[in-house]
Amino acid sequence: MLRIDGITRAFGDVTALDGVSLEIGQGEFFALLGPSGCGKTTLLRILAGFENPDAGSVTLDGADLLSLAPNKRPINLMFQSYALFPHMSVAKNVAYGLERENLPRAEVKQRVGEVLETVGLSAQAGRKPQQLSGGQRQRVALARAIVKRPRLLLLDEPLSALDKKVRADMQLELKRLQTEVGITFVVVTHDQEEAMSLADRIAVFDSGTVRQVDAPVELYERPRSRFVADFVGANNLFEGTAGGTGPLKTEDFGDLPCTAVEDLPDDSTALLAVRPEKVALREEDGLLTGTVLDVSFYGGVSHISVTVPGRDKPVLVAVQGASGVQVGAEVGLHWEEQDAVLLPVTQ
């Protein structure tokens, strides 16, 4: 539905976007994920019409989008701050865009009623924004965005103002609403868990470029670059040399088992990435041996840091539930070949 081709945007000496190309399908929940300053919000503003690219094109259903004024685009943007009118009721906030289009009063009332029911705010229709919780204000902003039935809804860090529990509830709510109303959602976030839980596909941004576009599971389990492996979730990274599909040869730890995302030239510098939950603790010797530095309990998961001689950074291990291992214990670390990914170190 949406094709972004070679979009470039610079602000003085800073290149915010460098030849970004993406394709987003009808009804897809698509996430732009990356650290602050990587260009994802700039791209969102270009789609909304608040920024003009220096080069490139954007088409929606095959038609040029960049030539249209912001108010003529079948797109709505939900701001990070929600930007609700404080002097208007919930119903008036939601109705504002429809009233500006001079739609019949009866149609406006019907559509506002339907969308407030969809987001579960019918009982709060007469309240002002300051009388609502953060989660409720977020729903008002969402209702105001979808009531105009846009082809594309852009969301800029939509859940960042909410506390952890409300954010988890609203993630489910956003996904439910997106499925129910059938609108294509594009969400900007720096929160990896948020992107992984919401999106059908994720584009990982770094310094104005797209490093990888994939479904959440593929992105997590098969990263294709050092940046993606290091940014998306926790990872234990080992450098060495490899040829073909592995193993990784290291001076300090010998050969470490892994599977490659692509065949590597013989003796090329390579990187092994293994997730904490893929590393098993053993009482006997494993691939590596070390000393338990710290044990942190997070309810459903325990994180165990293990110092390994010859490695500057501790190896992180994640186990289900409470762990019986004690700080100072000598342990072995092991993982299976298919659970570690081999990457070219240059990416």
Side-chain angles (χ1 to χ4, degrees):
M1 184 188 80
L2 182 73
R3 184 188 295 271
I4 300 164
D5 190 18
I7 289 292
T8 298
R9 181 72 171 107
F11 300 94
D13 295 334
V14 178
T15 301
L17 295 170
D18 188 9
V20 169
S21 297
L22 292 168
E23 291 186 3
I24 300 172
Q26 168 66 39
E28 193 169 22
F29 203 128
F30 196 91
L32 310 179
L33 174 66
S36 298
C38 68
K40 55 191 187 298
T41 296
T42 300
L43 180 60
L44 208 69
R45 290 176 60 82
I46 287 172
L47 296 178
F50 302 145
E51 292 280 353
N52 293 316
D54 300 321
S57 64
V58 181
T59 59
L60 183 67
D61 293 327
D64 181 25
L65 188 67
L66 299 180
S67 61
L68 298 176
N71 63 316
K72 300 296 183 183
R73 300 184 184 191
I75 291 174
N76 261 354
L77 171 60
M78 182 176 149
F79 293 97
Q80 183 176 353
S81 63
Y82 307 151
L84 301 177
F85 300 117
H87 63 290
M88 292 184 182
S89 67
V90 167
K92 282 290 187 182
N93 264 281
V94 176
Y96 182 78
L98 300 178
E99 291 174 344
R100 294 287 293 174
E101 293 181 355
N102 296 317
L103 294 179
R105 187 173 299 177
E107 182 180 348
V108 171
K109 184 177 180 180
Q110 179 189 347
R111 285 172 63 172
V112 169
E114 288 173 352
V115 78
L116 286 180
E117 186 174 348
T118 299
V119 299
L121 287 177
S122 298
Q124 288 78 28
R127 294 186 186 179
K128 299 289 178 60
Q130 61 268 30
Q131 296 174 300
L132 304 176
S133 68
Q136 288 173 327
R137 287 196 291 270
Q138 199 261 2
R139 294 184 191 202
V140 176
L142 190 61
R144 187 177 62 181
I146 64 177
V147 75
K148 291 187 68 176
R149 299 169 184 168
R151 296 278 288 114
L152 184 66
L153 178 59
L154 311 175
L155 304 101
D156 186 9
E157 301 278 5
L159 308 180
S160 62
L162 305 178
D163 63 53
K164 186 175 179 64
K165 187 174 188 313
V166 175
R167 188 184 305 131
D169 291 341
M170 288 310 301
Q171 286 173 0
L172 294 174
E173 187 72 7
L174 265 181
K175 190 67 177 175
R176 181 188 69 81
L177 283 170
Q178 192 264 343
T179 303
E180 191 170 301
V181 299
I183 297 171
T184 301
F185 279 25
V186 177
V187 61
V188 158
T189 182
H190 65 270
D191 187 321
Q192 300 138 33
E193 288 185 7
E194 186 172 295
M196 301 284 278
S197 64
L198 287 174
D200 300 313
R201 285 192 304 144
I202 302 170
V204 181
F205 277 66
D206 173 36
S207 303
T209 61
V210 177
R211 292 294 186 183
Q212 187 171 342
V213 182
D214 253 318
V217 172
E218 185 70 15
L219 193 71
Y220 186 82
E221 294 188 348
R222 311 298 292 176
R224 298 197 194 115
S225 68
R226 174 194 283 268
F227 178 81
V228 175
D230 202 27
F231 183 74
V232 179
N235 236 325
N236 298 298
L237 303 177
F238 297 84
E239 286 195 17
T241 59
T245 58
L248 182 77
K249 300 178 177 67
T250 68
E251 290 185 8
D252 295 317
F253 313 120
D255 290 358
L256 298 179
C258 52
T259 57
V261 293
E262 59 185 72
D263 281 353
L264 301 178
D266 288 341
D267 296 323
S268 59
T269 305
L271 189 75
L272 181 150
V274 59
R275 297 288 183 187
E277 65 272 16
K278 301 295 187 182
V279 181
L281 290 178
R282 291 183 170 181
E283 292 184 3
E284 70 276 10
D285 290 344
L287 296 167
L288 309 172
T289 57
T291 305
V292 176
L293 175 68
D294 181 66
V295 180
S296 302
F297 181 54
Y298 292 90
V301 178
S302 292
H303 288 175
I304 303 162
S305 296
V306 180
T307 56
V308 174
R311 179 177 166 84
D312 295 336
K313 195 174 181 181
V315 174
L316 184 63
V317 182
V319 297
Q320 289 296 315
S323 172
V325 70
Q326 300 296 317
V327 173
E330 296 294 319
V331 294
L333 304 175
H334 186 80
W335 61 83
E336 299 299 329
E337 178 181 316
Q338 66 271 17
D339 292 331
V341 179
L342 185 65
L343 308 167
V345 80
T346 53
Q347 292 187 10

